[in-house]
Each structure stands twice: as C-alpha cells, then as structure tokens.
Amino acid sequence: MSLHLIIPEGRLDSWRNHIQKAAPGLAIHEQDNAVEDVDYAFVWLPPPGELARFPNLKVIFSMGAGVDHVFADPNLPDVPIVRVVDENLTMRMTEWVVMNVLLHHRQFRAYDVQNSKAEWLEREQPGADEVCVGVMGLGVIGADSALRLRDLGFQVAGWSNSRKDIAGIESFAGESEKQEFLNRTDILINLLPLTPQTQGLIDAKLIGSLARNGAISGPIIINAGRGGSQVEADIIGCLNDGSLAGASLDVFETEPLPAESPLWANPNVFITPHVAAVSDPVSISTYVAKQITRFEQGKPLQNVVDPNTRY
Ligand code: NDP
Ligand code: OXD
C-alpha cells in the first residue's frame, strides 16, 4: 500500500508527517520510487498529466472539498476521486460566512471608516429578520451556513440542483427557479463547486437580478466557493456604478489576487486570501486514512465525486 502526495512546495513535509501518523501501515511514495507501486494519490493542484504517470492508481484523494483542481487535468486517470467532507472544515467555512454576513449587515466597513476619523455617528440598523440571505449551493457547507444564519434570525433561502427539505430554509432548485431565488435575495453567498455550469455565474446580469428594495442599502455578494464562478470585471463595474453595495471575497479568478486589482482598494470589499477554511492536516489525514482502510476492507469509499457533474 503506497500513497503519493502532490502538494505545493512548503507544505509537503508537514502533510507527509501527518498522513504517516494517521496511517502508520501506509508507505509514502517518494519521487524516485517505482511509479508502478503507487496505489493512492493525495493531491492539491496537481500539475496536468502528473496523475497519469501511475499505472496502478486506485483512488485520488483531494486535499480539499472542491475538486475543480483535479478535473483541470485533461489526462485524469479513470479512478474514483474522493473529496473532503469534514466537520472541522465545515465549521471553519461557516465561521467565515457568518462573520462576513454580519460584517455587511452591521455595516462594519462604514464604522471602520468612522473609527479612523474618530467620528461618533449612529447608522440606521435593520434587524436580521428584515434581511433576505440567499445561499447558492446548499450542500454540506452551504446547508450548515444556512442553518446558522437562520438561527441568527435572517430570512434564509438556498439554491441547489435538487430541492432540499431543511427546516426554516426556503429551497429553490434548478435553472427554472434561479431567477426567483435571486430576486428575493439581499445578501448572496456563493458556496457552489466550480464546474462547467457554475463557471462565470456571478456576472453583471446576476447582480442585476438581486433585490434592491430591501432593508439594507443594496445587494451584497459573499463568495467562498471558487473564484472561477465570479466575473471580477463585472463585480468591479457594479461596485463602481452602485448596483452592488459591497462584497466579501475569499476566492478569485487568479490566485493570488494580483496587486493591481481594483478590488483591493475598494472600501466596500473585504478580501481574504483563500483562507475561509484552511484544511486541517490532522483531521484530513485521519479522514484519508479511514477511507483507505474502508477501501482495503472492500467497503465503499465515501464522498466519491460524480465524474459527470464534477462535484
Ligand atoms: P457539496 O458538493 O456538498 O455541495 C455543492 C452544492 O452545490 C449542492 O447543493 C449542489 O446541489 C449545488 N450545485 C452544484 N452545481 C449546481 C448548479 N449548477 N446549480 C445549482 N446548484 C448546484 O460541496 P461542499 O458544500 O462540501 O463545498 C462547496 C464548495 O465550497 C467546494 O466545491 C469548494 O469550491 C468550496 N470550498 C471553499 C473553501 C475555501 O476555503 N474558500 C473551503 C472548502 C470548500 P445538489 O445538492 O442538488 O447536488
Ligand atoms: C477546499 C478549499 O476546497 O480549501 O477545501 O478551497
């Protein structure tokens, strides 16, 4: 049993140690060992063609919940791809989402500016129950975020491919209900995977469909899904013409976000460097070790990606 790691420089040693601790019986395949020995691969941003080098590969494990970085390889071997579903990761994502909804709802950017000017000025504050939050992608992470926001009193709805039955969350499903979902949404959260269907989804047209008669000053976009789902030129244009009131972005079309992007300087935009949920090596190594044990015992792998939908 041998596992090959394809992890960006700087993090390889740490992941190797954590996986070895979680799965002591598993050999870690090194670059100069025979490629025929590799049974499993654990990857983040694998260079295209790299995985095809291993003729006996049985399973690919993504280091993250998203697998767009795996499907970016046109020569992907035809083996199961397992993505991360992990309570620790979900909790971190939900923290980031809730914090950013509250940041805009409670007008903290505006108070930041007032702080810097020692300006004591009370701003009008709607209640959470007056604000419609919409979550695009009501999967593992989206559903958890939606529930926490519901508990804070927001009017929460979700949009996904299939209809969901989650107490207190209005569910919209498929293309035919997307418009209605957008029209009722003041604060839009993107937690969709990046697939051919979700590429470039958040554009000027979508922003133009958001509610603008609600209790907050204008629509807000919060994206912790993938940067490929947003059209940054459109977001910048909508911020400039006032049709978008603000944004919180953790993910970008190009990462790192280039220093010359006007997003950095916009006072209504809050940026984090793809850290909404950093994968915790201990819990994710334990998860991968558990999946390998299941596979070796002939049990089905969990959280296998559908190669047709790519999520
Ligand atoms: P899931 O697969 O559990 O959920 C995906 C959801 O998106 C599902 O509800 C699915 O619908 C819905 N969906 C997919 N495609 C469409 C579509 N075309 N139209 C409508 N709905 C669609 O994923 P997770 O919740 O675990 O993760 C979501 C994403 O979050 C990841 O793919 C990743 O990109 C991102 N992420 C970002 C992190 C960060 O640090 N910024 C960290 C972790 C994840 P249905 O349920 O009907 O299938
Ligand atoms: C993930 C990520 O997909 O970190 O888990 O973005």
Side-chain angles (χ1 to χ4, degrees):
M1 261 196 326
S2 168
L3 175 123
H4 186 83
L5 289 100
I6 306 176
I7 305 283
E9 270 312 308
R11 292 200 271 173
L12 186 61
D13 286 346
S14 160
W15 277 100
R16 188 192 285 114
N17 291 341
H18 284 292
I19 290 186
Q20 249 164 0
K21 251 187 224 153
L26 184 68
I28 302 296
H29 179 266
E30 301 297 344
Q31 206 57 39
D32 48 358
N33 297 152
V35 288
E36 291 77 17
D37 291 349
V38 174
D39 301 295
Y40 307 107
F42 179 72
V43 304
W44 184 249
L45 295 168
E50 183 72 3
L51 287 160
R53 292 200 303 122
F54 307 114
N56 299 318
L57 191 65
K58 298 187 180 81
V59 184
I60 297 168
F61 293 98
S62 164
M63 193 184 97
V67 286
D68 48 296
H69 66 112
V70 183
F71 283 108
D73 183 347
N75 299 316
L76 206 54
D78 184 17
V79 300
I81 300 167
V82 172
R83 69 187 200 91
V84 168
V85 173
D86 175 57
E87 264 179 42
N88 182 294
L89 185 89
T90 303
M91 178 193 71
R92 288 167 189 246
M93 284 295 276
T94 297
E95 277 177 7
W96 188 93
V97 168
V98 170
M99 190 200 79
N100 281 286
V101 169
L102 292 176
L103 177 107
H104 293 283
H105 170 58
R106 298 306 303 255
Q107 309 174 74
F108 268 38
R109 296 272 49 195
Y111 282 120
D112 249 355
V113 174
Q114 288 182 209
N115 276 204
S116 67
K117 296 191 286 191
E119 186 179 23
W120 185 277
L121 173 70
E122 183 179 328
R123 308 181 73 85
E124 218 173 293
Q125 181 58 56
D129 60 345
E130 297 173 73
V131 178
C132 292
V133 175
V135 182
M136 292 203 291
L138 216 42
V140 174
I141 296 167
D144 192 65
S145 295
L147 285 169
R148 305 294 178 119
L149 291 164
R150 176 204 66 184
D151 291 347
L152 286 172
F154 291 100
Q155 297 178 44
V156 184
W159 180 65
S160 41
N161 267 327
S162 56
R163 194 168 313 285
K164 309 292 177 199
D165 184 10
I166 309 176
I169 312 286
E170 197 179 354
S171 165
F172 294 84
E175 274 306 309
S176 62
E177 296 180 12
K178 184 170 83 181
Q179 200 57 35
E180 197 188 341
F181 163 77
L182 294 171
N183 291 164
R184 51 75 65 199
T185 295
D186 299 309
I187 299 181
L188 181 72
I189 299 164
N190 179 45
L191 290 168
L192 288 165
L194 180 61
T195 67
Q197 284 71 38
T198 65
Q199 178 86 38
L201 184 69
I202 306 170
D203 60 4
K205 183 164 175 273
L206 177 143
I207 294 168
S209 297
L210 295 171
R212 43 201 80 240
N213 54 354
I216 60 170
S217 62
I220 303 287
I221 283 178
I222 294 177
N223 188 8
R226 281 290 183 266
S229 295
Q230 73 199 12
V231 180
E232 279 156 31
D234 285 12
I235 293 179
I236 292 162
C238 291
L239 286 162
N240 289 343
D241 71 18
S243 54
L244 183 64
S248 286
L249 307 172
D250 182 59
V251 287
F252 300 89
E253 288 173 44
T254 301
E255 295 180 9
L257 178 64
E260 57 275 16
S261 168
L263 289 168
W264 285 113
N266 192 301
N268 297 317
V269 178
F270 188 73
I271 290 173
T272 49
H274 200 142
V275 291
V278 172
S279 300
D280 174 51
V282 174
S283 62
I284 289 170
S285 298
T286 307
Y287 169 80
V288 169
K290 177 180 149 197
Q291 296 302 326
I292 292 176
T293 304
R294 287 179 68 92
F295 187 77
E296 294 283 332
Q297 290 172 344
K299 293 182 188 160
L301 291 161
Q302 295 169 312
N303 308 310
V304 176
V305 173
D306 178 341
N308 297 311
T309 59
R310 297 187 162 205
Y311 71 90

